[in-house]
Amino acid sequence: MKLWGLRTRLLVAFSLLVVITAATVAGGTYVQSRTLILQQAQDATARVLVDKATALYPLGPLPPSDATLNRISGELSDRDLNSLVFYEDKAVGSEQMRALISPELRAAVKSGSVAWQRVMSEGKPMLVVGTAFIVVLPNGKRQASGIEAYVAGWLVPEERNIGELATRAWLIGGLALVFAIGLALLAARGVLRPVRELGDAARRLGKGDLRARVSVRGSDELAGVARTFNETADSLERHVGELERMEADARRFVADVSHELRTPLAAMTAVADVLEQEASSLPGDAGRAAKMSIEETHNLTRLVNDLIEVSRFDAGAAALAPEEVDVAEVITASLRIRGWTNEVEGDLPSGIFAEWDPRRIDVIVANLVGNALRHGEKPVSLRLSEAGEQITLEVSDRGPGLAPEVLPHVFDRFYKADSARARSGGSGLGLAIAWENARLHGGTLSAANGTDGGAVFTLRLPRQGVAA
């Protein structure tokens, strides 16, 4: 699974959504329940205090005596509540409560209201509630008596209940997270399966399997994407099939035309050979026309032969006829036959043997050297070397080299770097045929520019030439 793939994003999104929702609901419930529990405890304690204080009336004469204060403190105290009674600076009751009663609480009580405060005592929560006693004068007016009464009770049961609420909130959040992860996995599986199938089909289609299709399930957006993919693949298959048919027809046409031209070309070549012997004796324009006809006949013959060779490669009919050869001898013979021995500098050590097809090696050498002589500048150099089972031949010249925009197309069929050479003697097929012959031997042919200028063609073939 990718670090931040679709599955991970779905898991995170579902988990965050459910956890946030659960945390909000559980948190809100916890806060409301906690407030309600504490409020109930406060109200209950305040009611007890008020009820007990009411039952103490009449208080007796003021200022109260110590007996009156002790009576009030005793009546307010019980098993669950401790009490402390103040009258001015005099205090009667639980001495431990003195530290629990803050000045703010006493000020609130003196103002005439029932006030409360939560405090910690011995590490436990405690609630302190206070009230002031009011006396009614004979004229009906109410007056503060100056007596303050405080009771304190533990909030341990309430704290336990609140703790249980928090535990339940965490439990709900954990269960919600597990549920979210399970739901996200199910959703990711439902979403990713068609996406994965679509990706696999797209890769197969990209590799040339035009029959790759995906299953269409349901009628949602993913099903729409699958249908669109299948329709696109159908259209692509039809178009590619049509193009392949047209390409096959074109290749067959070229092959048929080339073969049909061989018979008349053989006759024309024979006539050209006879005419070549007499061309030097023909006067003026007749001599020039004869020489032009002879040259164009030879060019046409080479073009037809090249087209026939290319059609064999396209049809997969080209095959090797390997035999053990001395590579240097094959190269030297190719140069000697074409009269290039004195025009080429060779570093061709003997004793390098290989299982190659000598006819096809001759074609490669002839095309590379001929290209260097026609379009480069002398001297043209050949360097033969071996490294293990790899044999390398470099053909270089001292010309201007190849332009960067030309390099990627050097071995394309009918490609000519200089548009001015569109009507030159070359067909634009020689380097393409050389490249095909290198591939047929299981090797490579590459073009580059030398460090000192000029083009460099590098042929690398395995010692045992095997069709690629």
Side-chain angles (χ1 to χ4, degrees):
M1 182 173 64
K2 293 183 178 178
L3 181 62
W4 197 241
L6 183 57
R7 184 189 298 272
T8 305
R9 294 200 296 272
L10 283 173
L11 284 173
V12 172
F14 271 86
S15 300
L16 285 177
L17 177 62
V18 174
V19 167
I20 291 173
T21 303
T24 302
V25 174
T29 304
Y30 168 77
V31 171
Q32 291 180 354
S33 300
R34 178 178 179 274
T35 302
L36 180 61
I37 290 173
L38 293 176
Q39 188 66 47
Q40 288 176 345
Q42 292 162 191
D43 294 345
T45 305
R47 281 195 301 271
V48 169
L49 176 59
V50 171
D51 291 343
K52 288 186 175 184
T54 302
L56 291 170
Y57 285 95
L59 298 175
L62 296 176
S65 63
D66 291 344
T68 300
L69 295 178
N70 282 322
R71 180 174 66 86
I72 295 173
S73 177
E75 291 293 333
L76 295 180
S77 299
D78 59 23
R79 186 181 62 180
D80 298 322
L81 296 174
N82 295 323
S83 67
L84 183 64
V85 178
F86 284 100
Y87 180 75
E88 296 179 352
D89 294 332
K90 185 186 295 185
V92 176
S94 175
E95 290 296 327
Q96 295 179 348
M97 286 185 60
R98 278 182 175 272
L100 303 178
I101 301 173
S102 66
E104 293 81 9
L105 179 59
R106 289 200 65 183
V109 170
K110 287 179 180 180
S111 67
S113 61
V114 178
W116 58 270
Q117 187 176 40
R118 288 195 297 272
V119 296
M120 295 297 294
S121 177
E122 301 176 1
K124 300 177 182 179
M126 180 172 272
L127 177 66
V128 180
V129 180
T131 187
F133 283 85
I134 305 298
V135 296
V136 181
L137 300 176
N139 58 8
K141 293 184 178 181
R142 299 168 64 89
Q143 174 182 305
S145 66
I147 301 173
E148 305 166 36
Y150 297 89
V151 295
W154 295 105
L155 291 176
V156 174
E158 288 76 10
E159 183 185 34
R160 187 181 303 114
N161 292 336
I162 292 172
E164 290 178 358
L165 284 175
T167 302
R168 290 175 184 174
W170 280 107
L171 181 60
I172 291 173
L175 293 175
L177 179 60
V178 172
F179 174 75
I181 292 175
L183 188 62
L185 289 174
L186 288 175
R189 181 180 179 185
V191 172
L192 292 180
R193 183 172 61 182
V195 171
R196 188 163 48 248
E197 291 178 357
L198 188 63
D200 292 340
R203 280 190 291 273
R204 288 165 51 201
L205 191 65
K207 291 179 180 179
D209 182 6
L210 299 179
R211 301 187 65 82
R213 301 292 186 273
V214 293
S215 301
V216 180
R217 302 182 182 90
S219 57
D220 56 9
E221 288 80 0
L222 289 174
V225 172
R227 279 192 293 271
T228 302
F229 176 85
N230 290 340
E231 291 170 1
T232 303
D234 290 338
S235 177
L236 182 62
E237 184 178 15
R238 287 194 302 271
H239 287 303
V240 171
E242 183 66 18
L243 289 174
E244 288 177 347
R245 185 190 62 77
M246 293 171 62
E247 184 179 8
D249 291 344
R251 289 175 178 173
R252 187 164 53 252
F253 174 77
V254 171
D256 292 344
V257 170
S258 300
H259 281 285
E260 291 297 325
L261 287 175
R262 296 191 73 174
T263 300
L265 273 177
M268 291 175 62
T269 301
V271 172
D273 290 340
V274 174
L275 188 60
E276 188 174 9
Q277 297 175 2
E278 304 294 333
S280 57
S281 61
L282 294 175
D285 293 340
R288 287 190 293 273
K291 292 178 181 179
M292 183 180 298
S293 298
I294 295 168
E295 182 180 356
E296 292 300 326
T297 299
H298 292 321
N299 289 339
L300 184 58
T301 301
R302 284 194 297 271
L303 174 60
V304 170
N305 291 333
D306 287 346
L307 288 173
I308 292 173
E309 186 70 9
V310 167
S311 67
R312 290 197 186 100
F313 285 120
D314 290 342
L320 289 178
E323 57 184 82
E324 186 174 4
V325 295
D326 186 319
V327 178
E329 289 184 1
V330 173
I331 296 173
T332 302
S334 179
L335 299 176
R336 184 174 59 251
I337 291 172
R338 293 167 179 81
W340 292 339
T341 304
N342 297 327
E343 299 184 59
V344 174
E345 296 178 354
D347 179 10
L348 306 172
S350 60
I352 299 178
F353 292 92
E355 290 284 338
W356 290 350
D357 185 334
R359 184 184 70 82
R360 296 189 180 278
I361 297 301
D362 172 71
V363 172
I364 296 175
V365 172
N367 279 300
L368 294 181
V369 176
N371 183 76
L373 291 173
R374 282 194 303 272
H375 307 301
E377 293 181 6
K378 298 178 182 180
V380 174
S381 302
L382 274 71
R383 188 167 69 88
L384 179 65
S385 61
E386 63 177 336
E389 293 300 309
Q390 183 95 344
I391 299 176
T392 303
L393 173 66
E394 289 186 357
V395 179
S396 59
D397 61 63
R398 296 296 182 270
L402 298 169
E405 65 272 13
V406 172
L407 280 172
H409 306 286
V410 165
F411 300 108
D412 292 351
R413 296 175 184 179
F414 298 106
Y415 181 79
K416 296 183 179 181
D418 185 359
S419 59
R421 296 195 291 111
R423 293 295 300 164
S424 65
S427 64
L429 290 173
L431 292 179
I433 292 174
W435 185 89
E436 291 284 0
N437 279 307
R439 183 189 63 82
L440 198 63
H441 279 82
T444 61
L445 178 60
S446 60
N449 288 316
T451 55
D452 299 330
V456 179
F457 288 85
T458 304
L459 173 69
R460 293 184 178 89
L461 300 182
R463 193 180 299 274
Q464 298 288 332
V466 180

